[in-house]
Amino acid sequence: MRVIFICLRDKSDKAAMQPMNMYMVPNQGIPGFPPGLEYLTQVDQLLIKQKVELIEALAGFESNNKYEIRNSMGQNVFYAVEENDCLTRQCCGPLRSFTIRILDNFGQEIITVSRPLKCMSCFFPCCLQELEIQAPPGNTVGYVLQQWHPFLPKFTIENERREPVLKLQGPFCGWSCLPDVDFEILTMDEVSIGKISKQWTGLLREAFTDSDNFGIQFPMDLDVRMKAVMIGACFLIDFMFFETNN
C-alpha cells in the first residue's frame, strides 16, 4: 500500500498543509468498480472510530453520530456523518431511521447508508431491521437484513440483486456481557472469513457516552461492494446493540 502525495506548483502551500494522518490519493477510477471504492481493493481491515460529542457526554442530548474510518496505519481514509433531525434522534433513540453519508478525504460522498424506521424485537419476526447501501449514491450495491432468532443476532448480506452472499452472526447476549464483542462474517456455507469487532474503550467512556470503536476484518480479495456493505453493517450493529441514551 502506497501513500501518494500530489503537489501542484501553484498550490504547493496547500499540499504542505495536509494533515499527516490522512491518506490522500486521487480518485483515478478502476474499470468495473464503483467510483470512490478503489481504495478498498488495497485493505483487509478497517477501524471505525466514533467521535465523542461533548454535549452528548455531559447532558445526554442525542446528537448526530460522526465516525472516522481509518486504515491499519491509523490514517483517516473516510469520514461518516449521520443525517437526521433533532426530533427523530430524541424520540426514537437507537431505533431511529437514519442516513449516513460516507465521504473521502476530498469531501466527496462515496457511500450512502440508509436505514428505515422499524420496531425492534427479537420475539416478533415482523420487526426485523434492514439496511441499504449505495455506492456511489443512487447505485445500490447491497443490503443487510436481520434474520429472526430468539437468542442470536443474525443477518444476511445480499448483493444488489437481493441474492444472499454472506452471513453475519453475533454472540449470545454479547453486547451486554463482554468487553470485546465479535460478529463473525460467514460464507453461505458457514465458513468464517472475517469479523466485525466492537472494542472496549474504557470504563468511564463506556459508562457515560455511547461512543464506540469497531474493527472490520475481511479478505483482501472480497468484492469492494461487499466491503462497503460491511461498513454499513457496522453502523447497524452499533445502533442496534451499543447505542444507548446514557
Side-chain angles (χ1 to χ4, degrees):
M1 180 175 62
R2 296 181 301 170
V3 179
I4 303 174
F5 295 93
I6 300 177
C7 183
L8 303 179
R9 291 183 180 179
D10 57 339
K11 296 181 180 180
S12 58
D13 55 333
K14 292 184 179 181
M17 294 173 60
Q18 294 291 355
M20 294 302 294
N21 66 335
M22 282 188 179
Y23 184 97
M24 303 299 294
V25 61
N27 185 1
Q28 297 177 340
I30 300 177
F33 292 95
L37 301 188
E38 297 85 0
Y39 176 73
L40 294 180
T41 63
Q42 309 174 40
V43 296
D44 60 0
Q45 55 183 309
L46 291 169
L47 173 67
I48 298 182
K49 186 178 183 65
Q50 185 176 352
K51 299 180 67 175
V52 177
E53 298 292 336
L54 183 60
I55 186 173
E56 187 172 346
L58 297 180
F61 186 84
E62 188 72 21
S63 60
N64 279 329
N65 286 357
K66 300 178 180 65
Y67 304 85
E68 295 176 348
I69 303 177
R70 302 177 180 178
N71 59 20
S72 59
M73 300 174 62
Q75 298 169 318
N76 294 336
V77 294
F78 303 124
Y79 293 91
V81 180
E82 178 190 358
E83 188 177 272
N84 226 323
D85 61 88
C86 180
L87 182 63
T88 299
R89 293 195 306 271
Q90 307 314 315
C91 294
C92 299
L95 294 176
R96 64 185 183 264
S97 61
F98 61 70
T99 296
I100 292 181
R101 305 191 183 279
I102 301 177
L103 316 173
D104 63 17
N105 285 330
F106 297 98
Q108 184 73 29
E109 183 178 348
I110 59 172
I111 302 173
T112 303
V113 180
S114 300
R115 177 199 190 188
L117 178 62
K118 288 191 175 185
C119 294
M120 187 166 62
S121 172
C122 61
F123 299 107
F124 298 97
C126 60
C127 301
L128 299 177
Q129 301 298 301
E130 64 179 78
L131 207 66
E132 179 183 358
I133 296 88
Q134 299 178 354
N139 178 52
T140 300
V141 296
Y143 301 87
V144 181
L145 302 178
Q146 182 186 11
Q147 300 301 306
W148 183 83
H149 194 282
F151 306 113
L152 296 176
K154 289 189 173 186
F155 302 86
T156 297
I157 308 301
E158 297 181 343
N159 61 19
E160 70 278 8
R161 297 182 296 275
R162 305 304 300 250
E163 299 169 341
V165 177
L166 296 170
K167 296 180 181 181
L168 194 60
Q169 180 174 309
F172 172 73
C173 196
W175 53 92
S176 60
C177 304
L178 301 172
D180 296 312
V181 183
D182 291 336
F183 287 74
E184 295 290 331
I185 302 173
L186 308 168
T187 66
M188 298 305 295
D189 298 326
E190 303 287 338
V191 177
S192 178
I193 60 171
K195 61 183 177 180
I196 296 176
S197 302
K198 193 268 185 181
Q199 301 171 342
W200 176 254
T201 55
L203 179 60
L204 289 178
R205 185 166 177 176
E206 293 285 346
F208 295 106
T209 76
D210 57 1
S211 179
D212 300 310
N213 294 330
F214 291 87
I216 308 179
Q217 298 178 24
F218 36 55
M220 183 76 75
D221 59 353
L222 184 67
D223 189 326
V224 294
R225 298 169 183 83
M226 292 300 102
K227 291 183 180 182
V229 173
M230 287 300 117
I231 296 175
C234 183
F235 297 137
L236 181 59
I237 288 172
D238 183 25
F239 274 80
M240 287 183 64
F241 304 113
F242 305 107
E243 185 85 358
T244 60
N245 290 320
N246 294 317

